[in-house]
Structure formats: structure tokens, C-alpha cells
Amino acid sequence: WLFNTLTRYKAIVSGGAGDGGVDVKIFNRDEQLIGIVQCKRYQPDRALPPAHLRELNTVKQQHQVQYAWLATTARFSEDTRREARRLNIHLLDGARLHRMQKEARARARTHGTRPA
């Protein structure tokens, strides 16, 4: 819902058992798969290590997509942030997700749509 509300992309939830590390698929206007999102739910005070990025980078290569996001309710360690820059993976931590949620809700109220 956040991607659909805040970007020009179309996001489809694909996660679940056997999702292969892809929780959300991101499509462009031509309905071509261009990105993937992997979601990790942890306590807000936990810092995710770089290992999650390495796994996501492998999945990104397997799906041959240009973009990948790692989204978490936690935060990222400095090592993870450095590794994300090196691998060109976008990070969405709990604080940023919360800001995005507020922005999306405000936008939805303005445009008369509701969150999923």
C-alpha cells in the first residue's frame, strides 16, 4: 500500500511460505517487474546485520531486477548501511516506514482512498 500510494509504481504482495525471499513485487507502468521488497519484522531496538542484504542481493540477481528494498520494523547497523550502498539496495527502517505511513495516510485522505 505504501508503494502504491507514494510512488508511480505498482506493488503486489507476494510473500508467504515459499516466497523465495520476495515479499512484495514492484512493477513499472508497463507492468514489467523492476524491483523486489523483502520485509523483516523485529523489535524496534534491534539492528539488522548485513547478512540479510547479501541474501536479498542474491534474490535480486535471480529475478534480474534493477531495484531491491529491505524493509524492517527494526533499524540497520552501520555495517548494514555501508553494505546496502555497495550492493545498491534501498533500506527502509522502522522510523522511515512510520514516516511513510503517515504521509500515505495523509495522501489517502486528500485523494479519498483508504489504506489496505
Side-chain angles (χ1 to χ4, degrees), residues 9-70:
Y9 303 120
K10 179 180 181 181
I12 298 177
V13 175
S14 60
D19 65 13
V22 178
D23 295 307
V24 180
K25 293 181 179 179
I26 307 295
F27 298 87
N28 65 13
R29 290 182 183 168
D30 297 327
E31 298 187 18
Q32 295 173 320
L33 180 67
I34 60 163
I36 56 174
V37 182
Q38 188 175 81
C39 303
K40 298 291 183 185
R41 186 176 188 168
Y42 291 108
Q43 292 298 318
D45 60 341
R46 181 170 176 183
L48 263 62
H52 293 290
L53 286 171
R54 294 181 195 115
E55 291 172 20
L56 180 56
N57 191 55
T58 298
V59 176
K60 177 183 171 189
Q61 291 172 359
Q62 288 171 341
H63 283 81
Q64 299 178 345
V65 293
Q66 183 176 0
Y67 303 104
W69 288 265
L70 179 59

Side-chain angles (χ1 to χ4, degrees), residues 41-110:
R41 186 176 188 168
Y42 291 108
Q43 292 298 318
D45 60 341
R46 181 170 176 183
L48 263 62
H52 293 290
L53 286 171
R54 294 181 195 115
E55 291 172 20
L56 180 56
N57 191 55
T58 298
V59 176
K60 177 183 171 189
Q61 291 172 359
Q62 288 171 341
H63 283 81
Q64 299 178 345
V65 293
Q66 183 176 0
Y67 303 104
W69 288 265
L70 179 59
T72 184
T73 51
R75 60 186 181 82
F76 296 106
S77 69
E78 200 50 48
D79 285 344
T80 301
R81 291 183 184 283
R82 275 192 294 277
E83 188 74 354
R85 285 189 293 274
R86 187 181 75 77
L87 296 173
N88 193 30
I89 293 176
H90 305 281
L91 300 177
L92 300 172
D93 63 14
R96 185 162 182 204
L97 286 173
H98 183 69
R99 288 190 305 272
M100 290 172 71
Q101 217 173 22
K102 286 174 71 175
E103 181 183 347
R105 284 191 175 120
R107 194 174 291 187
R109 280 192 299 274
T110 302

